[in-house]
Amino acid sequence: MTDAEDWMEGFDQDFWPMYPRRLGKPAARKAWRGVKPQVQETLDAIIEGLERWHLHWLEQATELRFMPHPATWLNQRR
């Protein structure tokens, strides 16, 4: 992954479709652009973390309204 276009492709193809509470896409895209460094290892870490959180939410039967918005999840480096 070498440029901003590839990084944003990771948002559109990997992060956004996987996130269970899809609200505030413009804010989430802004938070995504703020993630540094924008390399494959960072993308992999974000997706792995999201997979763990997703499992947690499923195990706890968390209602969507109690899941953070995607921008919040990214900004808080969860």
Side-chain angles (χ1 to χ4, degrees):
M1 183 168 307
T2 57
D3 63 12
E5 188 174 308
D6 288 340
W7 181 251
M8 292 313 294
E9 188 174 300
F11 174 86
D12 291 327
Q13 292 183 358
D14 299 315
F15 179 78
W16 188 255
M18 184 181 202
Y19 202 88
R21 186 176 187 193
R22 292 185 202 98
L23 295 172
K25 191 171 185 178
R29 288 180 70 84
K30 181 179 179 183
W32 184 264
R33 280 192 295 273
V35 172
K36 303 291 185 229
Q38 294 179 352
V39 295
Q40 186 64 46
E41 291 80 14
T42 305
L43 176 62
D44 293 343
I46 291 170
I47 298 305
E48 288 170 16
L50 181 53
E51 288 171 348
R52 286 191 303 272
W53 270 101
H54 196 251
L55 270 174
H56 171 75
W57 291 325
L58 287 173
E59 289 170 355
Q60 300 298 315
T62 304
E63 293 180 41
L64 281 177
R65 66 187 175 133
F66 294 116
M67 294 177 193
H69 287 210
T72 302
W73 192 88
L74 288 166
N75 286 329
Q76 292 179 351
R77 300 176 154 256
R78 294 186 182 194

